[in-house]
Amino acid sequence: MINNRRDFLRILGGTVGLGLLPPSILKALSIKANNKTGSIQDVEHIVILTQENRSFDHYFGTMNGVRGFSDRFAIPIADAFGNKNKNVLCQVNHTDIANPQIIPPFRFNTVQKFDYIRATGTPHSWLDAQGAWNNGLMNDWPKYKKNHSMGYYTAEDIPFQYAMANAFTICDAYHCSFQGGTNTNRLFLWSGTNDPLSKGNGPATYNNYDWFDKDPGHDGGYTWTTYPERLQKSGVTWQVYQNMEDNYTDNALAGFHNFRDAWFQKPKYSQELRKRGVSTRDIDKLREDVLANKLPQVSWIVATAKGSEHPSPSSPAQGADYTAKVLDALIANPEVWSKTVFIVNFDENDGFFDHVPPPAVPSYITFSTDPEKVVLAGASTVDTTGEYHETILPYQKNPLEPLALHRPYGLGPRVPMYVISPWSKGGWVNSQVFDHTSVIRFIEERFGVKEPNISAWRRAVCGDLTSAFNFKDPDNSNVIKKLPSTVKRAQRANTLDKTTIPLIPTSISMPIQANGTRQARPLPYELHTSVKILPKNEIQLRFNNTGSAAAVFHVYDRKNLDKIPRRYTVEANKQLTGNWEATSDNSYDLWVLGPNGFHRHFTGDITFQSPEVEISYDTIKGNISLKLTNNTKEKVKYIITANAYFSDSPLIGILGVKNEIKKQWSLHTSGHWYDFTLTLKDTPQYTQRFAGHLETGEASISDPMFGGKAVGEV
């Protein structure tokens, strides 16, 4: 928690330089929150601006205190070059088979070449997104998304975006809802679904109906109920603010039959849907409504083409200027702003790279209509109905379309997400898993209008955004300095008459992330994974969830990295197990990843009878414990080494047969982050690594190990 203005300046100074902030952000910070009840009921207005086509790493991979390029647990991928440290950050372009090229993330350096502010977009549709994701292998990004999809910006290139994140709250586990493009992702944002069961002219995998089109084979639009219609029926006021003549097809409501009827004013059309959903009411009108105390309870803003941040008609500079104008409109009336939550997110990643594997339902290894013959790469305690693609619509003629059948729809890659409000000030990071349906669920929490279209799996795995706020004791610290406005960079970008494809630098190296922590919101995760050797040469992992939210465990078999990784979705207070066969040399090497840096790594030899390990948490005292039980027939010599956070010498000891020991560590000095490895002196192939963050229910800090050069070889 921020105790004073000096603390606030210290946190902000990590990236934007001495706490320098744009005028609009400064004014927003100076307005105190409505704090009548100390709850979400103090929020009277929710405003959503969804921008276009940027991934999280593309914007914030170098930002301090977020899960960016220095992530020590970037997933392993198969390596054709023999590099020991090969991971997902070291992508390979195999286009030239004889000369494959390693392409790590590289900077779009606008200081050296300002044209890179308008970098050309990349492929970003359903099939190429599935190819790049590759069921979670994520090992062929340049092939499907082009080489420059690995490009990123820094604070020098996008200062306003960094300033927003440093002044308010950035979410570094917010994913787009769908592996694909704009329209489908915005359908999740506006209706909670893409109609996977084909009940309303879906499923949407492309821009089926993205802007009052009349394509052959279409019957006039989607027919399922949208969330604005539910708000309308419940008496919650809402409005879409947009310029209908400069819309860039971003109003997904235009794909729905009822809104099309309203647009064309067909018989019996809804005047309310026309007035609120598909009429021109731009951000000048937004300002008028704010000043007149007429801002609706829920508002969606659709940017102009040049303000959309999309790589083709727009740029980060122009998008920043548009966002600043929206924020200026919202803070024009301090009374209104004191009661307003402003959410700025992005519909999808374009094709720009992000290194974090999206939480998703298990992939099919073998699909069958006979449940007894289905083979999944993982399992789920949650119903996964509606999360797989089972229908090819008649107009989808691509011969490769059948390859996407039975593929998971999402989640997709991480995208930027800022939570801007009087209750989310101070440069926080929130690392709970969210997607576009989380925005609807936040509105649900405030205004009580439920959206039944949201699947059971998404409701379990994706949060409702409430963890991003401090309603009880909102911070009202302020800063006094400012950056130049967004106008000059936007004007300069606007003079560029075309986009540019940035070239890979002739000398490449792994990217560097800024050092420094940031304040972190408490999360609902308390996860466990343990290993056990079974008869018949099998290794069993047990996934246990004692937290309050479902989580997805990703498992990569480092002995078989070409195989589809397994994913296990485990609800609160439930568990799952999965079995693996040992390799021909009787060894195993299993790598586990969960939310917010949860990591377990198990290696060993099944012919060796190993001791049992149990990790437990004391959330009240902030301690973590390891219990080692020796049920083998021989004594074992153990070594426990801290890989990070602590400089203590390794703990070395001997454990007798049928004995047990318990070691405990206080995590107060590390912000409750931990990373230890257990090895056995006489069995070097045996290791158990356990790393992550102990949640205590209180605010904490981001991983102190974030920062520095990314791990990997080029």
Side-chain angles (χ1 to χ4, degrees):
M1 181 176 178
I2 300 174
N3 294 316
N4 53 44
R5 178 176 171 276
R6 179 178 297 174
D7 290 342
F8 188 64
L9 287 168
R10 172 181 52 79
I11 294 161
L12 291 179
T15 303
V16 297
L18 301 178
L20 303 179
L21 293 171
S24 57
I25 294 178
L26 279 169
K27 184 175 179 181
L29 288 169
S30 71
I31 299 170
K32 293 186 177 182
N34 178 37
N35 196 25
K36 292 180 180 179
T37 69
S39 72
I40 194 175
Q41 297 304 312
D42 292 330
V43 177
E44 296 188 11
H45 311 284
I46 300 171
V47 180
I48 304 110
L49 169 62
T50 302
Q51 294 289 74
E52 281 274 359
N53 294 43
R54 305 288 174 175
S55 77
F56 188 88
D57 277 346
H58 173 63
Y59 265 16
F60 295 115
T62 63
M63 172 176 267
N64 70 298
V66 299
R67 191 158 300 278
F69 291 137
S70 65
D71 187 352
R72 294 180 302 128
F73 305 120
I75 62 173
I77 63 175
D79 178 19
F81 293 88
N83 295 330
K84 293 181 180 179
N85 293 326
K86 183 70 182 297
N87 62 40
V88 71
L89 289 166
C90 303
Q91 291 288 315
V92 180
N93 191 329
H94 295 283
T95 303
D96 184 349
I97 298 176
N99 298 291
Q101 183 180 17
I102 294 180
I103 308 174
F106 63 94
R107 181 182 172 186
F108 291 173
N109 192 329
T110 65
V111 176
Q112 295 181 0
K113 187 178 178 64
F114 188 72
D115 291 27
Y116 285 174
I117 201 69
R118 288 202 64 203
T120 304
T122 65
H124 52 280
S125 64
W126 165 239
L127 287 181
D128 60 71
Q130 284 289 332
W133 176 58
N134 197 11
N135 282 307
L137 291 173
M138 296 177 64
N139 60 350
D140 217 357
W141 208 277
K143 173 183 176 180
Y144 290 95
K145 302 295 191 178
K146 307 299 182 184
N147 288 347
H148 71 284
S149 67
M150 300 300 294
Y152 65 85
Y153 294 106
T154 70
E156 284 185 289
D157 307 305
I158 52 174
F160 185 81
Q161 285 84 350
Y162 272 66
M164 283 195 296
N166 282 317
F168 294 98
T169 296
I170 184 78
C171 297
D172 69 352
Y174 185 97
H175 294 256
C176 59
S177 293
F178 171 79
Q179 291 280 2
T182 286
N183 186 248
T184 306
N185 273 292
R186 288 178 181 255
L187 291 175
F188 279 97
L189 181 73
W190 257 302
S191 71
T193 185
N194 66 330
D195 190 35
L197 304 181
S198 302
K199 295 181 178 180
N201 289 337
T205 50
Y206 298 95
N207 292 349
N208 302 30
Y209 305 102
D210 63 355
W211 189 246
F212 300 120
D213 56 75
K214 298 180 181 179
D215 294 343
H218 290 182
D219 72 348
Y222 306 119
T223 59
W224 70 86
T225 303
T226 66
Y227 195 59
E229 289 172 285
R230 298 192 198 281
L231 294 177
Q232 181 73 32
K233 185 177 181 180
S234 299
V236 176
T237 58
W238 64 278
Q239 180 68 52
V240 176
Y241 290 90
Q242 65 188 110
N243 182 342
M244 293 292 287
E245 295 181 359
D246 187 1
N247 183 266
Y248 203 54
T249 73
D250 281 349
N251 182 344
L253 299 177
F256 287 85
H257 195 283
N258 287 345
F259 286 90
R260 288 168 178 257
D261 283 355
W263 170 253
F264 291 113
Q265 301 185 60
K266 291 185 176 181
K268 299 182 180 180
Y269 78 91
S270 168
Q271 294 186 9
E272 286 297 316
L273 295 188
R274 179 178 174 82
K275 179 178 70 173
R276 298 183 182 277
V278 290
S279 63
T280 292
R281 196 166 184 83
D282 59 18
I283 58 174
D284 289 336
K285 293 293 186 182
L286 172 68
R287 176 183 284 270
E288 288 181 15
D289 288 347
V290 169
L291 289 171
N293 285 308
K294 293 182 178 179
L295 183 66
Q297 290 166 292
V298 181
S299 303
W300 288 269
I301 299 172
V302 177
T304 60
K306 287 187 176 180
S308 68
E309 237 151 315
H310 193 287
S312 179
S314 185
S315 68
Q318 292 155 293
D321 190 50
Y322 185 87
T323 304
K325 289 176 180 175
V326 173
L327 184 55
D328 281 337
L330 293 174
I331 63 178
N333 185 336
E335 181 183 355
V336 170
W337 176 250
S338 72
K339 305 172 184 178
T340 298
V341 167
F342 180 31
I343 293 169
V344 181
N345 58 8
F346 286 72
D347 54 12
E348 38 119 339
N349 63 303
D350 199 85
F352 293 116
F353 175 75
D354 187 80
H355 80 278
V356 172
V361 293
S363 292
Y364 279 98
I365 296 176
T366 303
F367 177 81
S368 175
T369 55
D370 181 355
E372 297 297 322
K373 297 180 180 179
V374 168
V375 180
L376 287 170
S380 174
T381 65
V382 190
D383 180 9
T384 59
T385 300
E387 292 298 328
Y388 295 94
H389 184 50
E390 307 296 355
T391 303
I392 297 178
L393 297 175
Y395 64 87
Q396 294 172 340
K397 304 295 185 181
N398 190 323
L400 298 178
E401 202 68 43
L403 297 177
L405 278 174
H406 321 306
R407 289 290 194 103
Y409 280 131
L411 306 179
R414 292 185 305 166
V415 291
M417 161 71 153
Y418 322 90
V419 181
I420 303 170
S421 79
W423 303 276
S424 54
K425 296 186 290 189
W428 292 78
V429 62
N430 183 290
S431 300
Q432 186 173 359
V433 172
F434 301 126
D435 83 325
H436 297 325
T437 65
S438 300
V439 177
I440 293 179
R441 291 186 58 207
F442 182 70
I443 303 171
E444 285 182 350
E445 285 298 311
R446 173 55 186 92
F447 296 115
V449 181
K450 296 298 181 182
E451 178 47 81
N453 288 330
I454 300 174
S455 73
W457 184 85
R458 287 176 194 260
R459 282 196 178 273
V461 171
C462 303
D464 61 11
L465 299 185
T466 55
S467 65
F469 299 87
N470 180 2
F471 292 117
K472 290 184 179 180
D473 183 26
D475 172 66
N476 290 302
S477 297
N478 195 10
V479 292
I480 59 174
K481 298 183 180 181
K482 62 183 180 181
L483 279 174
S485 73
T486 57
V487 176
K488 291 183 179 179
R489 289 181 68 83
Q491 289 176 340
R492 188 179 176 190
N494 202 39
T495 64
L496 301 175
D497 59 0
K498 60 181 180 180
T499 61
T500 299
I501 299 178
L503 300 177
I504 304 169
T506 54
S507 177
I508 60 174
S509 61
M510 296 303 291
I512 296 175
Q513 183 176 352
N515 291 312
T517 60
R518 64 183 57 226
Q519 298 180 114
R521 295 294 187 190
L523 303 179
Y525 302 122
E526 188 176 287
L527 308 175
H528 313 262
T529 306
S530 58
V531 64
K532 185 177 182 180
I533 306 302
L534 301 177
K536 299 182 180 180
N537 296 345
E538 285 191 321
I539 304 99
Q540 182 180 85
L541 295 186
R542 182 178 299 274
F543 309 96
N544 197 17
N545 185 350
T546 55
S548 58
V552 175
F553 297 84
H554 307 252
V555 186
Y556 290 78
D557 184 349
R558 286 166 53 97
K559 296 287 186 178
N560 297 282
L561 283 174
D562 290 323
K563 288 188 176 181
I564 295 174
R566 300 193 198 180
R567 290 181 295 277
Y568 294 84
T569 302
V570 184
E571 293 166 275
N573 301 312
K574 292 189 178 181
Q575 64 180 24
L576 285 172
T577 59
N579 295 353
W580 282 257
E581 292 184 358
T583 58
S584 58
D585 64 355
N586 296 317
S587 66
Y588 62 91
D589 188 340
L590 299 174
W591 193 99
V592 183
L593 181 70
N596 197 34
F598 175 88
H599 177 58
R600 300 293 186 264
H601 188 186
F602 306 103
T603 69
D605 184 326
I606 61 169
T607 61
F608 171 73
Q609 191 178 8
S610 58
E612 296 181 5
V613 179
E614 180 184 342
I615 304 298
S616 59
Y617 312 117
D618 185 335
T619 59
I620 297 175
K621 294 182 179 179
N623 299 336
I624 189 170
S625 300
L626 178 150
K627 185 171 77 171
L628 186 64
T629 304
N630 185 9
N631 290 321
T632 71
K633 296 179 180 180
E634 298 181 0
K635 63 183 179 181
V636 294
K637 300 176 182 179
Y638 65 86
I639 304 171
I640 304 173
T641 304
N643 302 306
Y645 314 115
F646 302 98
S647 58
D648 301 348
S649 299
L651 295 172
I652 301 174
I654 297 175
L655 183 62
V657 177
K658 303 301 180 182
N659 286 341
E660 69 178 33
I661 61 162
K662 187 173 184 179
K663 300 293 184 180
Q664 186 176 92
W665 296 268
S666 172
L667 303 180
H668 290 286
T669 60
S670 65
H672 297 106
W673 292 90
Y674 62 90
D675 184 358
F676 297 93
T677 297
L678 167 70
T679 57
L680 302 180
K681 188 174 182 180
D682 297 328
T683 314
Q685 66 268 39
Y686 174 89
T687 67
Q688 289 203 25
R689 184 176 185 178
F690 51 104
H693 186 256
L694 171 63
E695 294 294 332
T696 65
E698 301 294 331
S700 184
I701 59 171
S702 60
D703 190 341
M705 295 303 295
F706 287 157
K709 189 175 182 179
V711 177
E713 296 181 2
V714 294

